[in-house]
Amino acid sequence: MKILLLTNKSHKVSLKVIKFLKIKKIKFTCIDTGLKRKIKITGTYDYLFSFLNPVFIKKNIRKKIKKISINFHPGPPEYPGYGCYNFALLDTVNSYGCTAHEINSKIDNGKIIDVRRFKFKYKNINLEKLIKMAHRNSFFLFKKIINQIINHNCVKIKKNEKWEKKKAYTKYEFENARKINLNDSLVNILKKIKAFSYKNYETVYLEIRGKKYDLKEKK
């Protein structure tokens, strides 16, 4: 079995994925897509695994994969695309998940292979905690599928799981969602702050005379 792994090594869980493949003594090539935005490969591979990979995988790459190309999306089928964590928190969810799916020509659209769900209390969660939980469960899902391939030499498609949103969330929708409007209620403002507050990343903002002002806490 020969694997092409596309992942952003800046994530701690990506390093766990690499370590797991080494422990299993699986032959693989890893491209750090946190550094390389253009994917170039020579030769063919049996499987492609996209794990927390920010780069879109074009058809010319997928054509070099003999069996299947799989993406591990850090969100459930209800939240495909960009900002999956954020949109879930805006919906005040009490459960979340991660999805392994076949890669096709669209973002988070291919046949679903498996979903791993987990529960929590909305009042006890924040964006950082949700991201960590999603990454951890994505890793468990990755291990499950690798073991399935080793033991059964195949990947099974889950017919009872479907993407619930026809089109994946976009960067444009993300930008609109994190904007605080003058007519927003206090409840909605607090929800947005909770959904978009994470370290030094993009947070909520006000737009005044065409300019964006991020509302970040002073340290």
Side-chain angles (χ1 to χ4, degrees), residues 2-182:
K2 191 178 178 184
I3 287 174
L4 175 62
L5 174 66
L6 307 177
T7 190
N8 183 346
K9 286 185 180 180
S10 67
H11 298 297
K12 291 181 180 179
V13 70
S14 294
L15 302 180
K16 288 185 177 181
V17 164
I18 293 169
K19 184 178 179 180
F20 178 74
L21 290 174
K22 288 180 179 178
I23 290 171
K24 289 290 184 178
K25 297 181 179 179
I26 295 172
K27 187 177 181 181
F28 72 98
T29 298
C30 179
I31 297 178
D32 185 354
T33 50
L35 299 175
K36 295 181 180 180
R37 292 290 171 166
K38 289 186 178 180
I39 303 170
K40 293 181 180 180
I41 62 172
T42 57
T44 59
Y45 294 84
D46 296 308
Y47 296 93
L48 182 153
F49 293 123
S50 171
F51 189 91
L52 299 182
N53 162 45
V55 180
F56 180 73
I57 302 164
K58 295 180 180 180
K59 188 176 181 180
N60 66 315
I61 299 295
R62 301 198 309 270
K63 283 174 69 176
K64 294 183 179 181
I65 308 303
K66 296 177 182 177
K67 295 188 177 181
I68 190 171
S69 297
I70 300 173
N71 180 51
F72 291 83
H73 173 61
E78 295 84 1
Y79 297 98
Y82 197 93
C84 48
Y85 318 105
N86 313 92
F87 287 109
L89 288 177
L90 284 176
D91 288 339
T92 65
V93 296
N94 290 297
S95 65
Y96 194 68
C98 46
T99 308
H101 67 91
E102 187 174 4
I103 299 170
N104 61 15
S105 59
K106 297 180 181 179
I107 295 173
D108 297 339
N109 175 268
K111 293 178 181 178
I112 292 175
I113 295 164
D114 205 351
V115 180
R116 184 180 173 94
R117 299 180 185 273
F118 53 91
K119 296 181 179 181
F120 48 81
K121 290 185 178 180
Y122 174 77
K123 66 178 182 179
N124 296 332
I125 200 77
N126 59 31
L127 183 54
E128 183 172 4
K129 288 180 182 178
L130 183 58
I131 290 173
K132 285 181 179 179
M133 292 172 76
H135 285 193
R136 184 169 64 249
N137 280 276
S138 293
F139 177 52
F140 292 149
L141 189 56
F142 179 86
K143 291 198 297 182
K144 179 182 177 181
I145 290 176
I146 287 292
N147 286 327
Q148 185 182 94
I149 292 170
I150 292 171
N151 296 329
H152 304 288
N153 196 31
C154 69
V155 174
K156 295 180 180 179
I157 304 295
K158 270 202 169 183
K159 295 182 179 180
N160 62 326
E161 292 281 5
K162 303 289 182 183
W163 294 105
E164 293 197 18
K165 191 174 182 293
K166 291 183 179 180
K167 291 185 179 181
Y169 285 103
T170 64
K171 174 69 171 175
Y172 177 78
E173 289 175 292
F174 174 87
E175 288 298 315
N176 282 338
R178 72 185 184 95
K179 180 181 179 180
I180 291 181
N181 301 298
L182 295 178

